[in-house]
Amino acid sequence: MKNLLYIMVVLLLFGCNSENKKTVFQEKYTGPLLEIDSVNTLLSDSAVTKMRIIAPKQFEFLNGDRTFPNGLKIIFYNPDGKEKSILTSNSGKYNKLTDIYTVIGKVVVQNPAEKKKLTTEELNWSPKKEEVFTDKFVVIQTAEEVLKGNGLVAAQDFSTYKILKVTGIFSAKQ
């Protein structure tokens, strides 16, 4: 009788415990941690403004990546504080691991002083190297000509550039 009572108590305890031990799985959240409206960021070095980032919306993620879903404008300044070139696009993203900005959709880079304009569908910008680059189709308009090609490497202020695979007809000055 004693053994029977002992067995019943043990079964009752294990029976209650097994019902209370439910495994709950939660999905890991991968969405943005921050949502910022009306971004206007100035970056400077030794009290000299180097560039300005303007965007209607920015999302920032746990790993430090950022997206700019509603467009992005980056203004690059010369050492005198005057606008040197302006980059605009329909959207953009920043990869913290590679320290590369990628802008997508109707990308335009203008250097008004030198009357240069670049258009493409995708462009990467490396703040560390101070250059922009792409492997996509590009069109560069200057005061004298229109150049087309696939791939480009250029200074971030668009003062110098190199089209990797030139296509079409262009004039060569002697």
Side-chain angles (χ1 to χ4, degrees):
M1 183 78 157
K2 207 178 197 186
N3 285 340
L4 183 61
L5 184 60
Y6 177 72
I7 291 173
M8 286 178 59
V9 169
V10 169
L11 287 174
L12 184 62
L13 289 175
F14 280 111
C16 291
N17 272 346
S18 66
E19 286 181 35
N20 291 335
K21 291 183 180 179
K22 292 182 182 176
T23 305
V24 177
F25 293 101
Q26 289 184 336
E27 289 185 33
K28 186 176 178 183
Y29 179 71
T30 57
L33 296 179
L34 292 172
E35 179 179 331
I36 305 167
D37 290 326
S38 301
V39 175
N40 191 353
T41 305
L42 292 170
L43 286 107
S44 62
D45 183 16
S46 304
V48 175
T49 302
K50 295 285 190 175
M51 65 175 214
R52 180 178 176 185
I53 298 174
I54 302 166
K57 187 173 288 293
Q58 173 184 312
F59 295 113
E60 188 156 339
F61 297 85
L62 180 63
N63 62 359
D65 289 356
R66 295 179 221 137
T67 61
F68 305 90
N70 301 332
L72 179 64
K73 181 177 187 177
I74 303 175
I75 303 169
F76 298 98
Y77 295 92
N78 64 23
D80 298 334
K82 298 199 188 279
E83 289 183 8
K84 178 76 174 179
S85 62
I86 302 164
L87 181 152
T88 58
S89 71
N90 288 349
S91 66
K93 60 185 176 181
Y94 170 73
N95 183 312
K96 178 149 175 112
L97 185 63
T98 60
D99 191 28
I100 300 286
Y101 285 82
T102 301
V103 291
I104 303 162
K106 292 188 180 179
V107 178
V108 177
V109 180
Q110 295 183 42
N111 182 324
E114 297 179 18
K115 296 183 175 127
K116 293 180 190 174
K117 179 180 176 182
L118 161 74
T119 55
T120 186
E121 286 299 314
E122 183 177 310
L123 190 66
N124 301 294
W125 170 51
S126 171
K128 190 174 192 172
K129 293 181 180 179
E130 296 187 350
E131 71 179 16
V132 295
F133 57 94
T134 187
D135 59 357
K136 306 295 183 200
F137 182 74
V138 298
V139 176
I140 297 177
Q141 296 173 310
T142 68
E144 295 86 32
E145 59 193 358
V146 176
L147 303 171
K148 298 178 182 179
N150 291 309
L152 170 105
V153 177
Q156 71 183 13
D157 64 5
F158 200 42
S159 57
T160 61
Y161 57 87
K162 176 181 175 183
I163 297 176
L164 303 180
K165 294 179 186 171
V166 177
T167 61
I169 300 169
F170 61 96
S171 64
K173 294 183 180 179
Q174 294 184 14

